Amino acid sequence: MTARNRYDAVAMGLHWLMAAAILALLGLGFTMTGLKPGSPLQFKLYQMHKSVGVLVFVLVALRLGWRLGHQPPPLPATMGPGERLLAHAGHWALYALMLGMPLAGWVVVSTSPYNIPTILFGVVNLPHLPLPRDLNALAKGTHMIGAWLLIATLVGHVAAALRHHFVLGDDVLTRMLPRFGRK
Ligand code: HEM
Ligand code: HEM
């Protein structure tokens, strides 16, 4: 297989780093909102969630920049037009959610009546956006619906990757996997 038929190291590295970060964010998000309100652990997990969430936003901006300059490998010729459309729509939906979720989260903290600061990784203060408090419920609802849309899209994404590998037997999954020294 030539290099053109595989994702490059930057695309692959960002894909797997961000996949780990996003799965952690989903876990943190549902855990922290279920804890006793105002507990020190809850405060810590919220700060961690917000820090990793903003990191995802920075990484997706870099990733989209890289993606625009580097074509991904073409989809297998055996895929029909419907499947191609679904694959592209799924990928762009994931990009949109990776951009939209952190923005909605930023609006949630900026409009919260509790006015809690966000100190990214305990170092950098994320300023609040100058927005009216009335937007808080809408932002919370958007962040929550976004989380479920993300989960649903990811279930389809992972199922498609596994189908390509185990049912169709093509290289769609392996070209996103590092080869660790193999030629
Ligand atoms: C890809 C990025 C992100 C994902 C996947 C994500 C996911 C989640 C999930 C699953 C929840 C629990 C469900 C809910 O109550 O909405 C949650 C809650 C929350 N997230 Fe995020 N989040 C992300 C980014 C951010 C960012 C960047 C911030 C803030 C700067 C943030 C702030 C919050 C807050 C304040 C809550 C609690 C909302 C509430 O009390 O209703 N999130 N997030
Ligand atoms: C939070 C988790 C994940 C997100 C946000 C995500 C997002 C994405 C996006 C946006 C692409 C398109 C890359 C491009 O061409 O621009 C992609 C490709 C891919 N993802 Fe994921 N992904 C995640 C997890 C996973 C997991 C767990 C698997 C494996 C089971 C996986 C397998 C793949 C594969 C095989 C491709 C390449 C598809 C192709 O060759 O066209 N992803 N992913």
Side-chain angles (χ1 to χ4, degrees), residues 29-30 32-34 37 42 46 49-50 97 100-116 129 131-149:
F30 289 120
M32 71 191 192
T33 46
Q42 191 192 45
Y46 264 74
H49 179 84
K50 296 188 284 185
L97 287 162
M101 283 298 286
L103 289 176
W106 194 9
V107 178
V108 174
V109 292
S110 301
T111 55
S112 162
Y114 303 116
N115 197 23
I116 297 171
L129 296 162
L131 293 169
R133 295 250 181 279
D134 321 3
L135 281 182
N136 192 248
L138 178 67
K140 276 184 172 187
T142 307
H143 198 66
M144 168 73 97
I145 291 169
W148 285 106
L149 281 177

Side-chain angles (χ1 to χ4, degrees), residues 78 95 126:
T78 46
Y95 281 125
L126 178 76

Side-chain angles (χ1 to χ4, degrees), residues 91-180:
H91 291 163
W92 287 107
L94 288 170
Y95 281 125
L97 287 162
M98 286 189 278
L99 282 169
M101 283 298 286
L103 289 176
W106 194 9
V107 178
V108 174
V109 292
S110 301
T111 55
S112 162
Y114 303 116
N115 197 23
I116 297 171
T118 298
I119 314 293
L120 303 173
F121 298 104
V123 182
V124 178
N125 178 45
L126 178 76
H128 286 164
L129 296 162
L131 293 169
R133 295 250 181 279
D134 321 3
L135 281 182
N136 192 248
L138 178 67
K140 276 184 172 187
T142 307
H143 198 66
M144 168 73 97
I145 291 169
W148 285 106
L149 281 177
L150 178 60
I151 291 169
T153 316
L154 280 176
V155 168
H157 182 66
V158 172
L162 298 179
R163 174 172 173 266
H164 276 283
H165 189 70
F166 292 107
V167 181
L168 304 176
D170 60 29
D171 67 346
V172 165
L173 176 61
T174 48
R175 68 199 197 162
M176 187 47 108
L177 296 173
R179 284 189 288 193
F180 295 119

